[in-house]
């Protein structure tokens, strides 16, 4: 009797367990179905996954680890968003197939000097560094700290399993429109009448190689004119070149010399800007004083200013700072031509 009762109770206990599992299975199917329907609907409406965050430290460290060492044919691109949007990596590789090109620029992190110093301190690196710089970023208080956390992550947290972790993270965050949809933020803004439930159309896409393809949708009708007169200041009212700025240039020169001592080369590029952005830059850091000081103090590097390159004058930055993705291949070819003219390639 005890044995049969025990068997009956055991069988009875299994019934709600199976029912519970069946309910969770049905719920899982419903969730997957809703996710699939939402994904298909968003893509049918013209939305596309924007790609994972281009400024993630893990993805940056992955590409930093891929930089060819002991090879003079390695090309490393550093800077901020202008370098990521203006330079088209497939075009660069097509024109220079004998070189390995690595994109290490970091969007929204202005000064690339920490990365330049890291490459200079790498005894095995002897390639070409193309750096997008401005006087404002170098003279700023975070001129060395802006990208230092990325270097520290690569030096301290990147390990043998990081490539697999990076690939999995990319697969999850860049493959779906739904994953990029912030339901809580959409709800909060919707209740306040400041938005709708549909995700905004993506104006940029971040690729795994860390290139950003910026698409300025209807920008011409909304943006201010891209070209205005440059503000002219008298010599007596121009801000003086500070001693701290000159000291920073000397530190940059030290890094450049270390790379050149191993057979490498460094090119400092002032990317094209227009309109209000260029005028503000001229007010704060007049080119004939600040850029000339940079070219004089960092004499071991090749300095290229966009105003000195005739082929770069034809490009228009819709937001006064970045090129549209449709112009980046042509600009990349003109950049390579200028690098060859300067005997950097």
């Amino acid at each position: 009797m005890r044995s049969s009762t025990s068997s009956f109770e055991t069988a009875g206990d299994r019934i709600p367990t199976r029912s519970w599992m069946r309910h969770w299975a049905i719920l899982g199917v419903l969730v997957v179905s809703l996710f699939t329907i939402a994904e298909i609907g968003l893509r049918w409406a013209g939305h596309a996954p924007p790609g994972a965050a281009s400024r993630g430290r893990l993805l940056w460290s992955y590409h930093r680890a891929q930089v060819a060492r002991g090879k003079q044919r390695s090309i490393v691109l550093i800077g901020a968003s202008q370098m990521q949007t203006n330079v088209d990596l497939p075009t660069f590789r097509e024109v220079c197939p004998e070189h390995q090109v690595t994109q290490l620029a970091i969007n929204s992190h202005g000064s690339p000097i920490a990365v330049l110093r890291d490459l200079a301190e790498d005894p095995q690196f002897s390639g070409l560094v193309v750096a997008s710089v401005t006087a404002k970023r170098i003279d700023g208080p975070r001129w060395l700290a802006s990208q230092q956390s990325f270097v520290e992550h690569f030096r301290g947290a990147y390990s043998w399993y990081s490539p697999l972790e990076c690939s999995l993270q990319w697969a999850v965050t860049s493959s779906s429109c739904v994953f990029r949809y912030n339901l809580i933020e959409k709800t909060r803004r919707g209740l306040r009448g400041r938005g709708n439930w549909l995700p905004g159309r993506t104006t940029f896409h971040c690729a795994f190689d860390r290139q950003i393809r910026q698409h300025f949708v209807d920008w011409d009708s909304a943006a201010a004119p891209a070209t205005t007169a440059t503000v002219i200041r008298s010599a007596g009212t121009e801000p003086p070149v500070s001693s701290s700025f000159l000291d920073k240039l000397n530190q940059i020169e030290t890094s450049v010399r270390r790379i050149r001592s191993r057979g490498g080369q460094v090119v400092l590029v002032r990317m094209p800007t227009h309109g209000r952005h260029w005028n503000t830059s001229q007010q704060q850091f007049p080119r004939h004083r600040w850029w000339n000081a940079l070219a004089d103090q960092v004499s071991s590097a090749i300095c290229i200013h966009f105003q000195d390159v005739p082929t770069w004058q034809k490009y228009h930055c819709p937001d006064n700072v970045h090129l549209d993705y449709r112009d980046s291949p042509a600009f990349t070819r003109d950049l390579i031509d200028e690098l060859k003219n300067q005997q950097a390639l």
Side-chain angles (χ1 to χ4, degrees), residues 30-43:
L30 289 175
V31 170
V32 172
S33 300
L34 290 174
F35 177 90
T36 304
I37 293 172
E39 187 71 27
I40 294 175
L42 289 173
R43 297 201 180 208

Side-chain angles (χ1 to χ4, degrees), residues 11 61 87 99 105 175 209 213 273-274 285-286 305:
S61 297
V87 177
H99 292 83
S175 61
D209 58 12
R213 291 173 174 84
T273 55
H274 304 96
F285 303 94
H305 197 286

Side-chain angles (χ1 to χ4, degrees), residues 11 39 55 61 94 114 118-119 145 177 208 219 221 266 338 345:
E39 187 71 27
R55 53 189 180 186
S61 297
E94 176 187 348
D118 176 63
L119 293 170
C177 295
F208 186 78
W219 193 276
S221 61
V266 177
E338 185 62 24
L345 281 178

Side-chain angles (χ1 to χ4, degrees), residues 96-111:
C96 302
E98 70 280 9
H99 292 83
Q100 176 185 318
V101 185
T102 306
Q103 177 63 270
L104 292 184
I106 305 172
N107 181 29
S108 299
H109 292 70
S111 173

Side-chain angles (χ1 to χ4, degrees), residues 210-279:
R210 303 193 68 260
Q211 178 180 338
I212 296 177
R213 291 173 174 84
Q214 184 79 31
H215 185 194
F216 292 95
V217 181
D218 298 328
W219 193 276
D220 291 338
S221 61
T227 304
T228 57
T230 300
V231 176
I232 305 297
R233 301 171 64 101
S234 62
T237 61
E238 290 178 353
V241 177
S242 63
S243 59
S244 63
F245 182 74
L246 296 177
D247 179 65
K248 294 172 182 177
L249 296 183
N250 290 332
Q251 295 183 50
I252 297 173
E253 170 69 6
T254 300
S255 296
V256 174
R257 286 184 178 180
R258 296 185 69 175
I259 294 176
R260 293 205 61 178
S261 68
R262 300 191 293 264
Q265 181 63 275
V266 177
V267 179
L268 305 180
V269 180
R270 177 59 165 89
M271 288 287 186
T273 55
H274 304 96
R276 184 181 304 173
H277 187 277
W278 171 247
N279 288 339

Side-chain angles (χ1 to χ4, degrees), residues 16-32:
T17 301
R18 292 177 179 176
S19 177
W20 175 82
M21 294 178 62
R22 188 182 303 111
H23 291 162
W24 276 107
I26 294 174
L27 180 61
V29 171
L30 289 175
V31 170
V32 172

Side-chain angles (χ1 to χ4, degrees), residues 131 147 170 185 196 213 279 341:
Q147 301 184 5
W170 175 265
E185 177 66 16
N196 53 53
R213 291 173 174 84
N279 288 339
N341 292 337

